[in-house]
Amino acid sequence: LEFDRSVGYLYPDLRLPMLTILWLAGCAFVLSRIGSWGDDAGTVIAGAAIGAVLLKLFFWDLPSWDLGSDFVYAGDWSAHQALMRLVDFGAVAGFLVAVTALVVVRPTTRDAGSLRIATIQGNDLNRRLTQAEIERDLLTRRHLALAGRLHGRFDLIVFPESALMTDPEVDLDLRQRIVGIARAHDADVLVNVIERREDGTIRNLDRMYAPDGRLVGGYAKRHLVPFGEYVPWRNQLGFIGALEQVPEDFTPGTRPEVFRVGRSRVGTLICFESAFSGLARDTVRAGAEVIVVSTNNRSYRRSGNSAQHLESSRMRAAETGRAVVQAAVSGISAVISPAGTVSHRTQLFERAVVVARVPLRTGETPSTRYGPWVLIASAAVIGSAGVVARTRRSIPDPPTDEGASA
């Protein structure tokens, strides 16, 4: 108020711009402390944007609002002015109370070290494989050849979805090759397989092998692709000939799986599971300190779907406060920081090995703890702002002196 009095008295034309700057700076500072990523520039920009919207809704249409005189002395207020001030003050006060409460009670994430991770991207063919290439296990051979170029110790080596054309638990020669890679680099090795079980069910499965060659466990894809991995209402839709391209229905997994890699914990998602925040949230709640997304985007060719998939993984990183390693058989592979920053990005249909030291995080973000309630609360804030703005504009102007005398 003292600032408003002094600036308003000496420089009346500068009062509103100065208050605008202070408001935006305050919003940017407060909101930059809320996210799991601290002072990220994107958060500051978001805070400034919210501040600008609120300023527009609550202040901009009141160029004659004298904060100093109106709050200190209200003797000449009309009922119209008082109601407008009450609506504005209540909206701003509610927003500030909510932001303050969020800052005070917000969940946080903490640094938990890092892992040296290598991902193998071995499919540079922008087409379907020929029958001869399938029989020669072409993709398996190319990925194993790229893995042979690795040097030194790794914590984790990732063979993406569809990189291996047979199951190492069935193809013992392949298993020996995978175990050899694990031992050579003292690394856990994550592979993706199509598992055919004795009961006749089929699963899209990530398997983890320890440095000593032991099979540690597996994660079965939970969110299957309709008309890609199964056909809903297959009996009723049997007259559609194209459905013959999906002759079998996969069985979905039922729970997240977190693998021990040394003293760290790694969670995995398969393909477009990273488009669903609930699956990533469950994986983090199960203890994951980093998330690996194993994917085969080859069928999307050079469309924008692979880039869109990467953007989905960026959202999951920012929501969960976890780094995400996007391991794609034909691209785009990348490493995404907990802030959503992308590095080590590959191109589509190039053979490449991505090697990076990936940060680990523990703890929770607001999105991890509260889930969809964060979105509901955000929608409520936006809706309330619209209601307040509409209420302000619906209040009739007081009668003028001329109208009163008439």
Side-chain angles (χ1 to χ4, degrees), residues 76-142:
D76 61 348
W77 273 13
S78 67
H80 170 264
Q81 289 173 319
L83 181 56
M84 292 184 71
R85 303 306 190 272
L86 181 62
V87 170
D88 293 331
F89 180 77
V92 175
F95 173 77
L96 293 179
V97 168
V99 170
T100 302
L102 184 56
V103 171
V104 172
V105 304
R106 69 185 176 96
T108 58
T109 63
R110 298 169 296 280
D111 177 72
S114 63
L115 292 178
R116 189 169 188 241
I117 299 178
T119 65
I120 314 298
Q121 178 180 309
N123 186 6
D124 60 351
L125 301 175
N126 185 13
R127 58 171 174 79
R128 291 180 179 273
L129 297 181
T130 65
Q131 186 60 38
E133 290 169 337
I134 294 173
E135 292 174 355
R136 289 192 296 115
D137 292 337
L138 178 67
L139 292 186
T140 299
R141 293 174 182 272
R142 288 191 171 181

Side-chain angles (χ1 to χ4, degrees), residues 238-389:
F239 63 91
I240 302 177
L243 296 182
E244 295 178 358
Q245 299 179 56
V246 189
E248 301 173 294
D249 292 336
F250 282 68
T251 299
T254 58
R255 65 180 186 275
E257 188 71 33
V258 175
F259 301 105
R260 284 281 184 183
V261 175
R263 295 184 177 181
S264 305
R265 307 186 73 181
V266 176
T268 69
L269 298 173
I270 298 176
C271 201
F272 266 83
E273 285 190 321
S274 65
F276 300 94
S277 59
L279 299 180
R281 185 165 56 246
D282 291 345
T283 302
V284 170
R285 286 175 175 173
E289 298 168 338
V290 62
I291 297 174
V292 175
V293 178
S294 176
T295 184
N296 174 14
N297 293 338
R298 198 280 311 166
S299 61
Y300 297 122
R301 302 277 179 130
R302 295 189 180 276
S303 71
N305 285 14
S306 293
Q308 180 189 50
H309 189 192
L310 184 63
E311 294 304 309
S312 296
S313 295
R314 291 184 68 190
M315 288 294 296
R316 303 295 83 80
E319 287 174 348
T320 61
R322 299 297 190 270
V324 174
V325 177
Q326 186 98 344
V329 72
S330 58
I332 302 170
S333 299
V335 176
I336 306 169
S337 76
T341 304
V342 177
S343 64
H344 300 82
R345 176 172 174 154
T346 65
Q347 300 299 316
L348 288 170
F349 300 106
E350 69 167 349
R351 281 187 273 182
V353 177
V354 173
V355 175
R357 183 157 291 280
V358 180
L360 305 176
R361 305 286 293 181
T362 60
E364 295 180 316
T365 63
S367 178
T368 303
R369 176 174 294 184
Y370 303 116
W373 288 107
V374 174
L375 296 178
I376 294 172
S378 300
V381 169
I382 295 174
S384 299
V387 170
V388 169

Side-chain angles (χ1 to χ4, degrees), residues 40-56:
D40 183 76
T43 314
V44 176
I45 294 172
I50 293 175
V53 171
L54 292 173
L55 188 74
K56 169 62 178 173

